[in-house]
């Protein structure tokens, strides 16, 4: 058997070019005690934090599991922060919710309960509970402290678009595309009230002014507003006759009174896209699909009452000139302010581009608003809370990203810079810092790039057929040459570095020579191109390449063929037939022996340049968009419309590795000159950078790992959880996942090992022989007894997945597991909480089958006594520790206060002595 060939692994390194992703909202966060300076936005699978004052990226929050898994394409779609600003909740496109610590960027908790993308996410006032809504029409309430699900709110028939806590009433309000707004009781998890005031989808939901107003936006310009108040005891007592004759029965069971107070009319056209409120819930901002952002401020009761009295005073003056009627008297006797008295409009904000999301903070005098726009920019505005003040644009972050999708990119010769081209400009990036160094505006979309020797100039081919010569240091366009009549699709530098070849949509390939030209206005010489030859073809040119030995010219045409010409005379050499769709990209190896082509027919073909024979045809899963050799090797990379970046070996005709790809189509890719870096751009507007590591990669091991990943995807089949002897479906807040099934297998293995070891131990005691040795797996966990082994396994289960793990166990194992919990409850340890949680959940869920087994009844009685006793002891221990820490903290604060007072007194006395001494010297 031959030696297995090894490769070095490429891994995802960094992402850039995203200022704010249009699919995710923007939120203000608190860092270093400052709440109006930093904002968090989504950047594909990461969360990035911008400093609005310095226009600088200060932190990137990324999940290590997503970074290490090369096959996941999960994007951040929703963000929410606590009122204190210490934690941030991140909702992903697969229904996952993670919470992170903003100070350190560490992952705190993971919550898996949804089957599709998160659409609504919010914390309660204290940050103890988290509510999430999803496209699966359900909402889930999570306990952040205990890391478990509390309630699954099922009742909507459409996508959940908004979810808000009403802390004053202990309620949750949700809105959905099914046109309904529902009120849920947090104690029971049931819906007790439904508002049906909309005839179309409800897109936004906001709660203003200390849970007094509920405002919802729909497809029209009307923001419907309801006044919320608590139901009095007199109002809740309803006669039986009224209950039987009433149509709206839900209102009678409600603990709150909900009255329609009016509507706020927007000025912007179209439906409401999103809305946001500040931490005090007094200012509301809404926007549609346009560029107009509207703000409303909800005044307090005193200010609203004063406005009502002013209106009544003005009305009384006008009414005195005419006869008073009943309506006038009714208005003049009104004591409750109307909606127009409570709400006041602030000056609207008109942005430069379409708004995608917005967030705001309010201080005593000003409102600060951050707006994320569809052109990958962030704008920071400030306006006064007074009347008639203008809006001020403070900052705009736009330099760190293209306005549209990046179509082409290229490395510099020293691999220290990356050049990218979009539909509006060309940018130069530093590979080390990923900062934008230069930006050159273009008049048309960039189709191809070529870096000239010396890394001082670049050539750019535009969609209108022009060829630009750009000076990198100055950031200016030196010359614009009309190279082709249609779009210029390909630029390739000649191996002798004295010229280049270009191919365009006008069915021509042109040969150019580099030269220095003296400007007529000065003696300064600039770089220019001299046209030498033109090769006329029958079809449009897709791409053109020159062999490294400078002997052959390969041209891919629109008729699915690749024509090979001699470079010196442009005479035809050979044709390469075989593709059924046009070739999108091709490349020639460093030794000019083989040429690889990537086509729209989902195949890669490897050809020999000596006879033009096809060495191998490699099928792929999607249409290929680009292909590049790794310098000085026969290994190459490909990109496709599925967003994948794949590593291949042309010698053994096998795929080596699949890297983490883009969400959507991957447009282009470039390999650095030293082969250590790969950069790719795609439809998700992010540029991904990959790095070559020293980690060896073996094909057989990689295939085994890929098969294991495919098996993991098939593990969690079905979304419903069956309960033995109970209801067919149990609506838990969590869902069955791969990690929960693996944890269940680990727990079952633990129970089997414990049972087998105890049987062997009993048998050895009966025979009078030595005790059996500990199982190897117990030694691996560094435990000495079976009780410690079971406790270690239970503690390793995620708190949010504990219920799902217990439900996946068979009933016989459940009975043995409950019996094994008795020794764990007999002694005090820090894992008492998951043990008691497991016991309570099993008894609640499987009460009937467990109580029907006679042998389990004494075990249940014993568990009841032990669980109650240990829970009380642990609660007392926690309370004692808490108050001890509070006492120590108060003592330290008193000592610091005394120390500070003493220091101040000493400083004051010292200053008085010095002042007295100076006065004595002056008198003398």
């Amino acid at each position: 058997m031959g030696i297995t060939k090894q490769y070095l692994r490429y891994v995802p390194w960094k992402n850039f070019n995203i200022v704010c992703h249009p699919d995710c909202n923007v939120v203000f966060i608190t860092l270093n005690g400052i709440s109006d300076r930093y904002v968090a936005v989504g950047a594909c699978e990461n969360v990035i934090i911008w400093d609005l004052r310095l226009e600088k990226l200060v932190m990137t929050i990324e999940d290590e599991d997503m970074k290490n898994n090369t096959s996941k394409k999960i994007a951040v779609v929703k963000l929410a922060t606590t009122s204190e600003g210490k934690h941030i909740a991140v909702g992903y496109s697969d229904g996952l919710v993670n919470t992170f610590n903003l100070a350190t960027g560490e992952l705190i908790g993971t919550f898996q309960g949804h089957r599709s993308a998160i659409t609504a996410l919010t914390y309660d006032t204290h940050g103890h509970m988290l509510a999430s809504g999803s496209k699966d029409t359900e909402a889930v309430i999570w306990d952040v402290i205990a890391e478990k699900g509390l309630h699954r709110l099922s009742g909507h028939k459409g996508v959940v678009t908004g979810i808000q806590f009403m802390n004053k009433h202990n309620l949750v309000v949700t809105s959905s595309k099914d046109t309904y707004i529902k009120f849920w009781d947090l104690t029971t998890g049931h819906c007790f009230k439904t508002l049906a005031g909309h005839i179309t989808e409800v897109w936004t939901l906001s709660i203003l002014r200390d849970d007094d107003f509920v405002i919802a936006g729909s497809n029209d310009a009307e923001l419907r507003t309801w006044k919320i108040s608590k139901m009095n005891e007199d109002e809740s007592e309803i006669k039986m006759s009224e209950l039987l004759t009433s149509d709206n029965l839900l209102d009678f069971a409600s603990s709150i009174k909900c009255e329609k107070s009016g509507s706020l009319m927007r000025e912007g056209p179209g439906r409401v896209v999103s809305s946001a409120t500040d931490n005090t819930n007094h200012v509301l901002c809404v926007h549609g699909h346009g560029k107009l952002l509207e703000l409303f401020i909800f005044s307090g009761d005193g200010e609203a009452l004063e406005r009502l009295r002013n209106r009544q005073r003005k009305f009384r003056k006008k009414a005195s000139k005419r006869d008073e009627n009943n309506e006038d008297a009714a208005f003049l006797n009104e004591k409750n302010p109307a909606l127009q008295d409570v709400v006041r409009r602030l000056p609207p904000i008109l942005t430069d581009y379409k708004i995608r999301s917005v967030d705001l903070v309010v201080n005593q005098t000003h409102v600060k608003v951050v707006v994320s726009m569809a052109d990958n920019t962030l704008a920071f505005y400030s306006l006064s809370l007074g009347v008639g003040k203008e809006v001020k644009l403070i900052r705009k972050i736009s330099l760190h990203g293209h306005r549209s999708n990046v179509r082409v990119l290229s490395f510099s010769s020293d691999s220290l810079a990356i050049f990218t081209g979009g539909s509006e400009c060309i940018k130069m990036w530093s590979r080390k810092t990923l900062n934008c160094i230069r930006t050159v505006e273009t008049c048309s979309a960039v189709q191809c790039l070529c870096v000239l020797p010396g890394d001082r100039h670049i050539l750019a081919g535009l969609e209108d057929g022009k060829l630009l010569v750009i000076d990198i240091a100055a950031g200016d366009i030196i010359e614009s040459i009309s190279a082709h009549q249609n779009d210029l699709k390909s630029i390739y530098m000649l191996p002798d570095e004295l010229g280049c070849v270009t191919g365009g949509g006008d069915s021509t390939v042109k040969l150019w020579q580099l030269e220095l030209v003296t400007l007529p206005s000065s003696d300064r010489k600039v770089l220019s191109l001299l046209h030498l030859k033109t090769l006329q073809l029958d079809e449009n040119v897709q791409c053109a390449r020159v062999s490294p030995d400078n002997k052959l010219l390969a041209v891919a045409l629109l008729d699915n063929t690749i024509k090979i010409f001699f470079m010196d005379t442009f005479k035809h050499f050979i044709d390469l037939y075989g593709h059924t769709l046009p070739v999108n990209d091709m490349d020639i190896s460093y030794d000019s022996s083989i040429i690889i082509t990537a086509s729209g027919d989902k195949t890669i073909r490897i050809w020999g340049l000596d006879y033009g024979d096809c060495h191998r045809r490699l099928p792929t899963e999607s249409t290929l968009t680009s292909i590049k050799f790794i310098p000085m090797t026969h290994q190459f990379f490909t990109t496709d419309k599925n967003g994948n970046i794949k590593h291949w070996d042309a010698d053994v005709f096998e795929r080596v590795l699949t890297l983490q790809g883009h969400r959507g189509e991957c447009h282009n890719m470039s390999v650095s000159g030293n082969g250590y870096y790969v950069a790719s751009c795609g439809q998700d507007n992010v540029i991904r950078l990959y790095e070559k590591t020293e980690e060896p990669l073996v094909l057989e091991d990689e295939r085994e790992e890929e098969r294991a990943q495919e098996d993991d995807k098939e593990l969690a089949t079905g979304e419903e959880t069956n309960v033995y002897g109970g209801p067919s479906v149990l609506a838990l807040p969590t869902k069955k996942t791969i990690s929960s099934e693996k944890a269940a297998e680990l727990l079952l293995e633990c129970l089997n090992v414990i049972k087998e070891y105890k049987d062997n131990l009993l048998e050895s005691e009966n025979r009078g022989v030595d005790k059996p040795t500990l199982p190897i797996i117990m030694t691996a966990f560094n435990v000495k007894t079976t009780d410690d082994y079971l406790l270690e396994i239970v503690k390793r289960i995620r708190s949010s997945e504990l219920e799902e793990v217990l439900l996946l166990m068979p009933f016989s194992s459940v009975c043995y597991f409950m019996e094994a919990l008795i020794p764990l409850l007999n002694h005090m340890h820090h894992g008492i909480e998951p043990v008691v949680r497991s016991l309570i959940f099993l008894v609640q869920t499987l009460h009937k089958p467990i109580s029907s087994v006679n042998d389990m009844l004494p075990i249940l009685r014993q568990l009841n006594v032990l669980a109650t006793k240990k829970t009380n002891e642990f609660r007392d221990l926690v309370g004692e520790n808490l108050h001890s820490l509070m006492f120590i903290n108060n003592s330290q604060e008193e000592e610091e206060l005394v120390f500070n007072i003493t220091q101040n007194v000493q400083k004051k006395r010292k200053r008085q002595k010095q002042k007295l001494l100076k006065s004595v010297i002056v008198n003398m």
Side-chain angles (χ1 to χ4, degrees):
M1 184 176 178
I3 300 177
T4 303
K5 187 173 182 179
Q6 289 186 345
Y7 304 88
L8 293 181
R9 183 185 295 274
Y10 285 83
V11 296
W13 185 35
K14 291 181 179 179
N15 301 341
F16 60 101
N17 186 54
I18 292 231
V19 176
C20 56
H21 203 278
D23 295 337
C24 183
N25 63 317
V26 55
V27 292
F28 274 103
I29 62 170
T30 302
L31 283 181
N32 304 322
I34 304 174
S35 61
D36 58 352
R37 179 175 174 178
Y38 303 96
V39 294
V41 294
C44 288
E45 66 274 7
N46 299 333
V47 177
I48 56 178
I49 297 175
W50 292 98
D51 186 345
L52 295 177
R53 184 177 300 175
L54 302 178
E55 299 184 21
K56 181 181 177 182
L57 181 65
V58 294
M59 184 187 295
T60 300
I61 300 176
E62 54 186 354
D63 190 356
E64 290 297 328
D65 293 337
M66 296 181 185
K67 183 178 179 181
N68 298 331
N69 194 335
T70 58
S71 62
K72 281 191 175 182
K73 298 177 184 177
I74 303 173
V76 176
V77 293
K78 210 68 181 176
L79 298 176
T81 57
T82 56
S83 56
E84 298 87 1
K86 295 182 179 179
H87 300 149
I88 184 170
V90 183
Y92 296 89
S93 58
D94 64 341
L96 177 69
V97 178
N98 284 341
T99 55
F100 295 91
N101 188 339
L102 280 173
T104 61
E106 296 179 353
L107 178 66
I108 300 175
T110 299
F111 305 99
Q112 292 183 334
H114 295 285
R115 300 185 295 273
S116 55
I118 301 296
T119 55
L121 197 64
T122 184
Y123 276 102
D124 67 339
T125 302
H126 306 289
H128 296 165
M129 287 190 293
L130 178 67
S132 60
S134 172
K135 288 184 179 180
D136 58 6
T137 73
E138 293 180 335
V140 178
I141 309 298
W142 306 95
D143 187 342
V144 179
I145 305 300
E147 294 185 21
K148 67 175 184 177
L150 297 178
H151 304 290
R152 179 178 292 275
L153 310 180
S154 302
H156 284 292
K157 302 299 181 183
V159 175
V160 177
T161 56
I163 186 166
Q164 295 290 334
F165 283 98
M166 297 185 69
N167 300 281
K168 189 166 68 173
H169 305 289
N170 197 28
L171 305 176
V172 167
V173 188
T174 59
S175 64
S176 171
K177 287 186 180 181
D178 61 1
T179 73
Y180 295 125
I181 298 174
K182 291 181 177 291
F183 291 79
W184 309 80
D185 190 350
L186 279 178
T187 305
T188 61
H190 293 288
C191 174
F192 64 89
K193 190 177 187 62
T194 300
L195 298 181
H198 296 83
I199 58 175
T200 56
E201 296 93 342
V202 181
W203 290 99
T204 62
L205 178 70
S206 302
I207 296 180
L208 275 298
R209 215 187 70 172
D210 196 19
D211 300 341
D212 288 340
F213 292 94
V214 173
I215 299 178
S218 184
N219 281 343
D220 49 18
E222 184 180 358
L223 297 175
R224 293 169 177 84
T225 306
W226 287 268
K227 180 70 181 297
I228 306 297
S229 58
K230 197 166 185 179
M231 186 78 70
N232 298 328
E233 295 182 359
D234 299 337
E235 296 176 350
S236 61
E237 295 178 358
I238 302 171
K239 296 180 181 180
M240 183 60 66
S241 58
E242 296 179 0
L243 184 62
L244 294 175
T245 56
S246 176
D247 295 331
N248 192 1
L249 299 180
L250 291 177
D251 288 341
F252 298 116
S254 135
S255 60
I256 60 173
K257 184 168 59 174
C258 191
E259 298 175 344
K260 182 73 178 294
S261 59
S263 297
L264 302 177
M265 301 306 296
R266 297 190 302 115
E267 297 178 1
R271 71 170 180 87
V272 179
V273 173
S274 71
S275 65
T277 61
D278 64 307
N279 289 334
T280 61
N281 292 332
H282 277 76
V283 179
L284 170 70
C285 59
V286 295
H287 68 90
H289 279 299
K291 306 176 184 179
L292 186 64
L293 178 65
E294 301 176 59
L295 292 95
F296 305 89
I297 181 169
F298 282 70
S299 308
D301 292 334
E303 186 177 350
L305 187 60
E306 184 179 353
R307 279 206 200 96
L308 174 63
R309 291 173 179 173
N310 291 335
R311 284 202 305 125
Q312 289 175 343
R313 190 180 304 110
K314 292 179 181 179
F315 187 83
R316 190 178 291 109
K317 290 181 180 180
K318 294 180 180 179
S320 61
K321 299 178 181 180
R322 60 180 186 271
D323 296 334
E324 184 177 350
N325 51 32
N326 294 332
E327 295 181 0
D328 298 341
F331 171 68
L332 293 175
N333 295 328
E334 185 67 38
K335 296 183 179 180
N336 295 324
L339 185 62
Q340 58 180 331
D341 301 320
V342 176
V343 181
R344 176 170 60 89
R345 287 180 181 268
L346 293 177
I349 298 175
L350 186 62
T351 61
D352 299 331
Y353 213 78
K354 291 182 179 179
I355 303 173
R356 301 298 298 180
S357 68
V358 63
D359 198 21
L360 71 159
V361 292
V362 177
N363 53 25
Q364 295 180 355
T365 58
H366 286 78
V367 181
K368 295 184 178 180
V369 183
V370 61
V371 180
S372 68
M373 291 175 279
D375 64 340
N376 194 27
T377 57
L378 280 174
F380 187 36
Y381 296 90
S382 175
L383 65 156
S384 174
L385 290 175
V387 181
K389 300 295 183 179
E390 294 183 356
V391 178
K392 181 180 178 182
L393 175 62
I394 301 178
R395 201 84 68 232
K396 189 173 183 181
I397 302 178
S398 60
L399 180 66
H400 301 275
H402 285 268
R403 307 283 75 76
S404 59
N405 288 340
V406 178
R407 285 286 177 177
V408 63
L409 70 170
S410 178
F411 277 95
S412 61
S413 60
D414 55 4
S415 305
L416 294 179
I418 303 173
F419 299 93
T420 59
S423 61
E424 79 295 336
C425 68
I426 297 172
K427 285 183 177 288
M428 177 183 177
W429 308 82
S430 171
R431 180 186 54 79
K432 291 184 177 180
T433 62
L434 300 183
N435 291 330
C436 181
I437 303 173
R438 293 285 185 274
T439 300
V440 180
E441 300 292 336
T442 59
C443 58
S444 181
V446 181
Q447 297 279 72
C448 50
L449 285 176
C450 179
V451 183
L452 297 182
D455 296 333
R456 295 185 177 182
H457 299 82
I458 57 174
L459 301 178
L462 303 184
E463 195 174 19
D464 57 3
K466 291 184 179 180
L467 180 62
L468 302 182
V469 183
I470 300 174
D471 187 351
I472 298 174
D476 295 331
I477 299 175
I478 299 176
E479 187 177 6
S480 177
I481 304 170
S482 297
H484 295 269
Q485 297 178 1
N486 296 332
D487 52 343
L488 202 161
K489 293 186 176 180
S490 175
I491 302 177
Y492 192 80
M493 197 70 195
L494 297 180
D496 56 8
E497 298 182 347
L498 299 178
C500 64
V501 291
T502 61
D506 55 357
S507 306
T508 60
V509 175
K510 294 185 178 182
L511 177 63
W512 305 81
Q513 179 181 341
L514 300 176
E515 63 175 1
L516 290 175
V517 178
T518 304
L519 294 176
S521 59
S522 63
D523 296 335
R524 188 167 64 94
K525 292 185 177 182
V526 296
L527 186 68
S528 181
L529 293 177
L530 176 63
H531 180 224
L532 297 181
K533 290 182 182 180
T534 299
L535 176 62
Q536 187 66 42
L537 299 167
D538 298 332
E539 293 287 342
N540 291 345
V541 177
Q542 294 292 102
C543 59
R545 295 289 182 269
V546 180
S547 61
D549 57 8
N550 207 12
K551 292 182 179 180
L552 299 177
L553 170 66
V555 182
L557 302 179
L558 199 60
D559 60 357
N560 313 337
T561 62
I562 301 98
K563 293 183 178 295
I564 311 294
F565 300 90
F566 291 104
M567 190 61 196
D568 51 356
T569 61
F570 277 1
K571 287 186 177 180
H572 181 261
F573 170 53
I574 199 171
D575 288 341
L576 306 180
Y577 296 99
H579 286 291
T580 58
L581 286 175
V583 173
N584 294 325
D585 198 10
M586 61 183 178
D587 202 4
I588 302 175
S589 63
Y590 72 100
D591 53 3
S592 303
S593 60
I594 58 175
I595 179 173
I596 50 177
T597 57
S599 170
D601 59 3
K602 304 180 182 180
T603 61
I604 304 167
R605 288 183 181 265
I606 303 173
W607 317 78
L609 274 178
D610 45 3
Y611 300 107
D613 57 327
C614 182
H615 291 179
R616 187 62 65 92
R617 172 184 175 273
L618 303 176
T620 60
E621 300 173 353
S622 179
T623 300
L624 298 166
T625 55
S626 66
I627 189 168
K628 295 288 187 300
F629 267 114
I630 300 177
M632 307 307 293
T633 67
H634 281 181
Q635 302 173 31
F636 60 92
F637 284 94
T638 62
T639 61
D640 55 34
K641 289 192 174 182
N642 279 346
N644 297 320
I645 296 96
K646 296 182 179 180
H647 182 193
W648 304 78
D649 191 344
D651 291 333
V652 297
F653 312 117
E654 286 192 51
R655 177 175 56 85
V656 179
L657 179 66
T658 300
L659 293 170
Q660 179 184 3
H662 296 263
R663 296 185 73 245
E665 179 182 349
C666 183
H667 297 317
N668 210 323
M669 168 259 306
S670 179
V671 183
S672 64
N674 54 14
Y676 280 90
Y677 302 99
V678 179
S680 65
C681 57
Q683 191 176 357
D684 53 4
N685 202 30
V686 65
I687 301 175
R688 299 184 183 273
L689 194 59
Y690 307 90
E691 184 184 21
K692 188 178 182 180
T693 63
E694 297 300 325
E695 179 186 355
L697 183 148
V698 183
L699 287 181
E700 289 76 7
D701 297 342
E702 190 66 26
R703 297 297 165 270
E704 185 66 29
E705 185 177 348
E706 290 178 358
R707 284 192 291 270
Q709 290 181 2
E710 292 295 328
D711 294 340
D712 289 344
K713 291 180 181 179
E714 298 176 359
L715 270 180
T717 56
E719 308 295 343
E720 299 176 349
T721 306
N722 296 326
V723 181
Y724 177 81
S728 59
V729 177
L730 186 65
L732 291 177
T734 56
K735 71 171 185 177
K736 184 166 58 176
T737 59
I738 297 170
S739 57
S740 63
E741 293 198 0
K742 287 185 176 181
E745 292 177 357
L746 193 63
L747 182 57
L748 288 175
E749 181 186 13
C750 170
L751 295 176
N752 293 334
V753 169
I754 291 175
K755 187 176 182 181
E756 183 179 353
Y757 178 71
K758 287 185 176 180
D759 292 341
N760 295 336
L761 189 63
L762 183 61
E763 184 179 354
S764 63
E765 290 178 356
N766 295 333
R767 292 183 178 181
V769 296
D770 295 337
K771 294 182 179 180
T773 58
L774 289 175
I776 299 177
I777 190 170
M778 291 178 61
T779 308
F781 280 100
N782 195 20
V783 292
K784 301 297 183 182
T785 63
T786 56
D787 297 337
D788 294 339
Y789 179 35
L790 179 60
L791 180 61
E792 182 68 23
I793 295 299
V794 172
K795 289 167 62 177
R796 284 174 178 261
I797 300 174
R798 279 182 179 176
S799 180
S800 59
E801 297 176 348
L802 183 61
E803 288 83 359
E804 289 290 342
V805 171
L806 296 174
L807 288 178
L808 291 172
M809 296 171 57
F811 183 69
S812 58
S813 300
V814 168
C815 296
Y816 187 76
F817 175 69
M818 295 182 68
E819 185 179 355
L821 292 179
I822 295 177
L824 297 183
L825 293 173
N826 276 323
H827 59 277
M828 178 63 70
H829 51 78
H830 294 292
I832 194 70
E833 182 181 354
V835 172
V836 176
R837 270 188 60 195
S838 303
L839 175 61
I840 294 174
F841 178 76
L842 289 175
V843 172
Q844 289 177 343
T845 309
L846 304 175
H847 180 265
K848 289 184 179 180
I850 291 177
S851 59
S852 62
V853 181
N854 294 328
D855 296 339
M856 290 297 296
L857 294 178
I859 295 176
L860 285 175
R861 296 190 187 98
Q862 190 174 0
L863 286 172
N864 180 25
V865 175
L866 288 175
T868 305
K869 178 182 177 182
K870 292 300 178 182
T871 304
N872 292 332
E873 292 179 0
F874 197 72
R875 182 188 59 193
D876 296 340
L877 177 63
V878 171
E880 183 179 353
N881 292 337
L882 175 63
H883 286 80
S884 301
L885 291 173
M886 291 174 61
F887 176 76
I888 295 174
N889 187 28
N890 294 334
S891 301
Q892 290 180 348
E893 290 180 354
E894 292 176 359
E895 292 177 358
E896 291 178 359
L897 180 62
V898 172
F899 178 77
N900 293 332
I901 293 174
T902 305
Q903 290 291 108
N904 293 332
V905 170
Q906 291 178 355
K907 289 180 181 179
K908 187 175 180 181
R909 289 178 179 175
K910 187 175 181 180
R911 285 196 301 267
Q912 289 177 351
K913 288 182 179 179
Q914 292 177 352
K915 186 177 180 180
L916 181 62
L917 182 62
K918 288 181 181 179
S919 62
V920 171
I921 293 175
V922 170
N923 293 331
M924 290 176 63

